[in-house]
Structures are given as C-alpha cells and as structure tokens.
Amino acid sequence: DDNTDEYQGLLVRADNNEYAHRMHLLSNSLKVSEEITPRIFSVIKKILQTLSLLDIKLECYVNNDSNMNASCFSLGNDVNLIIIISSGLVNKMTQDELAFVIGHEIGHYLFGHLDYAEVQRNKNVIMDMKLSSIYQSHEISADRIGLICSGSLESSLRAIVKTVSGLNDEFITHNLHTYLHQIQSLNYDDLAHAYHTHPIFPIRAKALTLFSMSEIYYLSIGKNKQAPLTDDSLIARIRKDLESTTMKNLKDESKH
C-alpha cells in the first residue's frame, strides 16, 4: 500500500451516496443475522474479535448469485461497512475460507480504500497504469487482513482457488501450492496492459504465501521465531512479480 502516497492526487475522495444501494439490498437480499444465518454471523463475530473491531457498525448481505463474488462499501458514520457476498460463494466455502473473503473486504475498510472513488479512465496510458498499480496493491493488502482473519494459509489459498475455479471441496486436493506454478506458464506480454485493477490470481496467491513468511506476519500472530523474509525483502519480491506481469508495461513505459 506504500505507493498510494507516491500517486497522491490520482484518486479523489468518494461522496457518500450509497443509501439507495443499501435500500436495494434490504429489498432484494438477505441480511445476515444470528437468527437466520448463524454460521455466517459467527464467522463475522469471530473476525471482529480477531481485529478488535467490536464497535464497528457492519452489515452483511447475501444475494442470489451462483458466481463467486464479494464487495463492500461504506456509509460513513451511519454504517461503517456494508459487505455483499454471493450465495455461490457461501455455498462452496468453509467457515475459515469465508473468513478470508469477509476479512479481505474488511481490509479495504481498514486501509481507507473505501474513502476514494474510482476515477474515470482517460487516454493517458501512464496515468491509467499508475491507477491500476494502486488498485492492485489495495487487493494484496486486503488479502493480508483476510489471512489474519482466516488464521490459515491453506484455507486462504483454498478460498482463492475456489474463487478462480468455482469448484467445491470434492474436486480440490490439498496440494494448493502447485497452483502457484501456473505463473511459470504465463505469457507476461499478453497480460501486461493498463486496465488490470486486480492482480492476477496466481500472483495474489504467491504474494499471500510470501506474506505468511514475513516478519510483519509473524509479529501479527505473536509467533516467536525468526521469519524467513524481512519486510523489505517481502516488498521487493512482490514488486518484482507485479512488474513482471500486470505492471510490466508501467515499468517499461516509466523507464522510457
């Protein structure tokens, strides 16, 4: 998330005009509650305890969608955070995997990503690629909160694999790290363009795996052991992966 300061001025403050969206959700989706959806409610309750966010005003809605989707927005002081998850996602994920997804959305709130509106893309390719760089770093940062909420790297990676494939546990083994090998077969030039707002999924999975080996993660979970990666080496390795794939053009054009 450190490049947000570098590109300050590219993003604009968001206007809180989401009340109509909330009314739509109340009309057409199911609001998560202890009485109707106790398992989802317990996942959220545990997450808020883990993150020490017991005073947050959070609402979660489930909509009827077979696709694996999740999103969030804020109403400021009225409702700090509203999370929308699809029924397809809920039906295929365990509670730890769901904790990763919901924790990811809460991460966007904690890092202040919801304070900014997505600006309209223009014909300035360099500007567009810088914006994409910001959005991609947002996703990697939010994934880290998801991991902390899930409490399991395997569950977090499994949530990513399920989101990519739409498969359930019946068809997925425990050899999840082999998914990272897909990176080796990517044609980076075909992927490197200005409009990626999310890092490609194998990069996200690798970035999360690296984070689980870092000093900052060990500190966050109270692990009294020397971490394999320093914070600086963690950042360097993730930036290298991004610059080799979806951010390749930005690096090349910036040099030019």
Side-chain angles (χ1 to χ4, degrees):
D1 248 14
D2 56 329
N3 62 357
T4 301
D5 290 335
E6 181 181 350
Y7 300 140
Q8 193 169 10
L10 289 176
L11 301 177
V12 296
R13 285 284 176 180
D15 294 325
N16 261 326
N17 190 25
E18 300 284 2
Y19 288 96
H21 192 181
R22 180 170 180 259
M23 292 301 104
H24 176 78
L25 290 170
L26 286 166
S27 303
N28 298 281
S29 302
L30 177 64
K31 184 178 179 180
V32 171
S33 66
E34 189 172 12
E35 295 77 18
I36 302 179
T37 52
R39 291 183 65 186
I40 303 174
F41 183 87
S42 66
V43 169
I44 295 174
K45 183 178 180 180
K46 182 179 178 181
I47 287 173
L48 297 181
Q49 291 173 340
T50 299
L51 299 177
S52 299
L53 293 175
L54 300 181
D55 295 330
I56 190 176
K57 300 174 184 177
L58 184 150
E59 293 179 358
C60 183
Y61 295 85
V62 181
N63 60 10
N64 185 7
D65 185 353
S66 59
N67 295 315
M68 310 276 279
N69 292 322
S71 60
C72 63
F73 63 92
S74 175
L75 293 179
N77 294 328
D78 296 316
V79 181
N80 301 124
L81 181 62
I82 294 178
I83 296 174
I84 307 103
I85 52 179
S86 67
S87 56
L89 187 148
V90 174
N91 289 332
K92 286 186 172 67
M93 292 199 174
T94 66
Q95 289 185 279
D96 285 346
E97 293 161 5
L98 189 59
F100 170 79
V101 174
I102 295 175
H104 172 100
E105 300 303 325
I106 293 177
H108 284 305
Y109 166 76
L110 292 177
F111 286 123
H113 301 161
L114 304 184
D115 295 338
Y116 295 91
E118 182 171 346
V119 300
Q120 185 175 0
R121 301 284 186 162
N122 55 48
K123 295 181 180 180
N124 186 329
V125 177
I126 298 298
M127 188 79 75
D128 284 342
M129 285 191 288
K130 286 183 176 181
L131 284 169
S132 291
S133 180
I134 293 175
Y135 296 140
Q136 290 190 27
S137 66
H138 285 181
E139 297 304 317
I140 287 176
S141 297
D143 278 349
R144 296 176 177 184
I145 301 298
L147 172 58
I148 291 171
C149 293
S150 171
S152 165
L153 177 62
E154 180 179 349
S155 294
S156 299
L157 293 177
R158 185 173 288 271
I160 290 176
V161 169
K162 286 183 176 180
T163 302
V164 169
S165 65
L167 297 175
N168 58 32
D169 287 322
E170 181 183 356
F171 298 99
I172 301 174
T173 71
H174 292 284
N175 300 318
L176 297 175
H177 286 84
T178 58
Y179 173 62
L180 304 182
H181 298 163
Q182 287 188 199
I183 299 174
Q184 299 170 2
S185 302
L186 290 172
N187 187 332
Y188 294 162
D189 290 331
D190 288 344
L191 285 166
H193 61 76
Y195 299 103
H196 282 289
T197 58
H198 286 55
I200 53 179
F201 277 103
I203 294 295
R204 283 179 62 180
K206 183 178 178 182
L208 194 61
T209 302
L210 292 173
F211 175 66
S212 72
M213 302 162 57
S214 68
E215 291 176 339
I216 190 169
Y217 180 67
Y218 276 35
L219 180 63
S220 71
I221 62 175
K223 191 171 185 178
N224 296 320
K225 187 178 178 182
Q226 181 68 36
L229 293 177
T230 65
D231 294 343
D232 288 341
S233 59
L234 170 68
I235 292 172
R237 291 186 64 171
I238 292 176
R239 280 189 167 178
K240 180 180 179 182
D241 285 334
L242 287 173
E243 290 173 354
S244 298
T245 54
T246 49
M247 286 294 102
K248 183 175 184 296
N249 275 352
L250 176 58
K251 183 180 180 181
D252 294 343
E253 290 291 340
S254 296
K255 285 181 178 180
H256 178 70

